[in-house]
Amino acid sequence: MAKIKWEKDFKSAVELAAKNHKQVFQDFWFDG
Amino acid sequence: MDTGPYSDEKVQKYLEEQFVSVKSQCFWDKRTELMKQFDVSWTPTLLVHDATGKEHHRVVGFVPPEDFLAHLKLGRGKMFFNRFRFAEAVEALTEALEQHPDSGPTPETIFFLGVAKYWKTHDPKGLRWAYDTLAARFPQSEWTRRAGPYKQIPR
């Protein structure tokens, strides 16, 4: 199973996406 | 632990192959800089960005698992579309349509696929195809109304 590797920092996610020729998926969530 | 649509193996695989995934927590009493940057005022808010951090697709509210992959694929197609990479847009949107023909975002997918076909070939039949397909399958959709002018184009 390919578990999702969640980044916590948006800037790091963008840098990682650029490096790996991918897009960024961002989930804004609320722990209510 | 991944829950909801994230527990689906197909979603996990697609996210790992095509995206870098990031979770951004919201605080209503003290909005974060990212909430302000992307005008987030309800959750869940799901965004698809390109590799520069520019937003190309947004979904606000609960997404049923059966629609989740369709939204990711539509977002990927719209990223190519917005960057004038129309051959790749046609490929991504065709995959979205073929693999998720009855999902929530299908009408929007058909609309952008028709326009991407037009830009790719400069043949207006792509636009007419979009109108005909939308009118036949989703007559009440807003996307059918947006494609309305294309019914003037000869088949």
Side-chain angles (χ1 to χ4, degrees):
Chain A
M1 185 189 290
K3 295 280 280 182
I4 301 165
K5 296 182 201 79
W6 290 103
E7 297 293 322
K8 289 180 180 172
D9 179 66
F10 181 68
K11 272 190 179 177
S12 304
V14 170
E15 286 170 9
L16 206 53
K19 191 176 162 189
N20 292 288
H21 307 289
K22 292 184 175 182
Q23 291 175 259
V24 176
F25 170 71
Q26 186 176 26
D27 180 347
F28 281 94
W29 64 286
F30 175 66
D31 184 16
Chain B
M1 180 173 171
D2 293 319
T3 58
Y6 302 126
S7 62
D8 183 300
E9 283 190 36
K10 285 180 185 170
V11 170
Q12 293 176 351
K13 188 168 183 288
Y14 194 73
L15 280 174
E16 282 302 299
E17 285 175 356
Q18 304 293 345
F19 292 89
V20 173
S21 302
V22 57
K23 280 199 177 192
S24 303
Q25 191 169 5
C26 291
F27 301 94
W28 302 120
D29 52 347
K30 190 178 180 185
R31 295 172 70 212
T32 64
E33 288 305 311
L34 283 173
M35 290 172 74
K36 292 175 189 171
Q37 180 180 344
F38 293 109
D39 295 322
V40 172
S41 47
W42 193 243
T43 56
T45 290
L46 309 175
L47 304 182
V48 173
H49 308 273
D50 62 26
T52 70
K54 184 175 170 56
E55 178 185 337
H56 291 276
H57 186 59
R58 172 178 293 231
V59 184
V60 179
F62 172 72
V63 180
E66 60 271 26
D67 287 351
F68 197 87
L69 267 176
H71 272 293
L72 290 178
K73 291 173 185 176
L74 170 60
R76 188 161 172 270
K78 285 169 71 177
M79 184 276 293
F80 289 128
F81 180 91
N82 291 340
R83 306 192 95 180
F84 274 51
R85 292 164 62 178
F86 297 116
E88 292 157 289
V90 167
E91 191 179 327
L93 294 166
T94 298
E95 180 191 330
L97 180 59
E98 288 179 355
Q99 295 183 359
H100 309 280
D102 301 308
S103 68
T106 296
E108 184 177 355
T109 301
I110 293 168
F111 180 91
F112 279 103
L113 178 55
V115 182
K117 281 180 176 179
Y118 169 73
W119 276 123
K120 182 186 169 191
T121 62
H122 295 282
D123 184 344
K125 283 180 182 164
L127 301 174
R128 180 66 201 236
W129 167 85
Y131 172 76
D132 286 343
T133 306
L134 285 164
R137 295 192 51 208
F138 304 98
Q140 303 302 319
S141 170
E142 174 191 351
W143 292 98
T144 306
R145 293 195 285 281
R146 291 197 198 188
Y150 312 151
K151 67 182 168 191
Q152 309 295 332
I153 297 167
R155 285 195 178 94

